[in-house]
């Protein structure tokens, strides 16, 4: 199915046409998140987790200027081999990458936008971006937050990374009118840390409850998205604590060395991986897979609800 520069894979088109559950996935994690061939292997495993549960995966990315909603195996392979050669694409970059027929890996913001255009209400990722430390001087605020304020897609994630300013991130989301829900928790997760000590705006205790919330959001015609924070499971807690210790050390080193702006994240990711001997990458993959399992349950529950239409304007 083609909608201008937007093309759905046969698998995704069939699922959408039949009203079956579909979950969107981002492509930045393939191109920029890990090396080849581990990136492609992980992408296949994540898609497989959804398929074996009866949910269709829709990995979103741009190849040669064409927006793909769902990828063939050869597309995943191409993305994996291109790696960082792919442009990292947020909302602001989509049109230029399409016009120039470039390759682009979609961030949380761009994946939300394109999933919504394709009619997919649910998106699973590792974690969202947020307000960076020192933002009062740098104004470094992720476009993920503004996208959540204007695009009605539910994002299931492990919260935001502890390298960010989490209190400011939550304040910004509140200003944007974004529901921040904790999945079986009252605390906003901080990626590898299950509890940040910061309260969520609501607690949701089952996939069915979250599906009903997404449905109500759609029926009310609310234009904002939903962030669902899934705490890292206990079985990953030991690995996660090692990564968190390394994260704190890496943040301190970045501040001491005066690393700023868009150099911060690459520095931290590389240093954390180095400090943990590669364990941070393994923990990251396990965390994403945990989120995907939750996303599949929610997608199936959402598919069982009657289709709702937005209320007529008063």
């Amino acid at each position: 199915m083609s909608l201008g520069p937007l093309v759905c894979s046969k698998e995704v088109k069939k699922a959408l046409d039949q009203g079956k559950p579909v979950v969107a996935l981002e492509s930045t994690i393939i191109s920029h998140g890990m090396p080849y061939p581990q990136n492609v292997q992980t992408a296949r495993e994540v898609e497989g987790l959804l398929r074996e549960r009866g949910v269709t995966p829709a990995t979103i990315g741009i190849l040669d200027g064409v927006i793909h909603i769902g990828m063939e195996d050869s597309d995943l392979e191409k993305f994996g081999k291109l790696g960082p050669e792919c442009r990292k694409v947020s909302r602001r970059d989509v049109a230029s990458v399409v016009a120039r027929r470039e390759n682009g890996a979609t961030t949380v913001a761009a994946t939300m936008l394109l999933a919504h255009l394709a009619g997919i209400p649910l998106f699973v990722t590792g974690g969202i971006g947020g307000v960076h430390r020192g933002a009062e001087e740098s104004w470094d605020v992720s476009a993920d937050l503004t996208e959540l304020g204007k695009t009605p897609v539910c994002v299931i994630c492990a919260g935001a990374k502890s390298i960010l300013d989490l209190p400011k991130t939550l304040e910004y989301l509140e200003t944007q009118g974004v529901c921040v829900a904790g999945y079986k928790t009252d605390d906003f997760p901080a990626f590898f840390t299950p509890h940040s000590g910061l309260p969520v705006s609501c607690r949701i205790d089952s996939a069915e409850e979250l599906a009903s919330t997404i449905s109500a959001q759609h029926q009310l015609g609310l234009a904002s998205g939903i962030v669902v924070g899934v705490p890292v499971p206990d079985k990953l807690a030991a690995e996660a604590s090692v990564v968190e210790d390394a994260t704190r050390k890496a943040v301190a080193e970045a501040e001491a060395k005066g690393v700023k702006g868009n150099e911060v994240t690459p520095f931290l990711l590389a240093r954390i991986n180095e400090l943990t001997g590669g364990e941070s990458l393994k923990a990251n993959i396990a965390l994403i897979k945990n989120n995907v399992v939750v996303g599949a349950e929610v997608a199936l529950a959402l598919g069982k609800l009657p289709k709702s239409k937005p209320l007529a304007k008063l």
Side-chain angles (χ1 to χ4, degrees), residues 166-186:
L166 297 184
K168 286 187 175 68
T169 296
L170 291 175
E171 288 290 348
Y172 198 100
L173 287 170
E174 181 183 359
T175 300
Q176 293 290 314
V178 177
C179 171
V180 178
Y183 193 71
K184 301 179 181 180
T185 181
D186 297 305

Side-chain angles (χ1 to χ4, degrees), residues 221-272:
L222 299 178
S224 52
I226 302 172
V227 175
V228 180
V230 181
V232 61
D234 291 339
K235 63 184 177 182
L236 295 176
E239 298 172 53
S241 65
V242 172
V243 178
E244 274 303 305
D245 288 342
T247 299
R248 283 190 284 270
K249 291 177 183 177
V251 168
E253 288 179 19
E255 292 174 350
K257 293 181 178 181
V259 180
K260 295 181 179 180
N262 58 12
E263 296 178 358
V264 173
T265 299
F267 173 86
L268 292 176
L269 292 176
R271 187 65 181 127
I272 292 166

Side-chain angles (χ1 to χ4, degrees), residues 94-208:
V94 173
S96 64
V97 171
V98 169
R100 297 182 184 194
R101 298 183 181 179
E102 294 177 338
N103 300 309
T106 54
T107 61
V108 169
T111 305
M112 282 186 69
L113 168 67
L114 298 173
H116 178 56
L117 290 176
I120 302 171
L122 198 58
F123 163 37
V124 175
T125 188
I128 61 169
V131 178
H132 285 255
R133 299 183 187 197
E136 60 271 16
E137 294 181 4
S138 67
W139 290 84
D140 193 350
V141 178
S142 171
D144 297 352
L145 304 187
T146 51
E147 197 65 45
L148 280 159
K150 59 190 172 189
T151 302
V153 169
C154 177
V155 181
I156 294 177
C157 61
K161 292 185 179 179
S162 60
I163 59 175
L164 299 167
D165 188 323
L166 297 184
K168 286 187 175 68
T169 296
L170 291 175
E171 288 290 348
Y172 198 100
L173 287 170
E174 181 183 359
T175 300
Q176 293 290 314
V178 177
C179 171
V180 178
Y183 193 71
K184 301 179 181 180
T185 181
D186 297 305
D187 263 21
F188 184 64
F191 208 67
F192 288 125
T193 302
H195 305 290
S196 67
L198 300 168
V200 291
S201 57
C202 73
R203 174 182 176 129
I204 289 178
D205 286 308
S206 68
E208 291 74 20

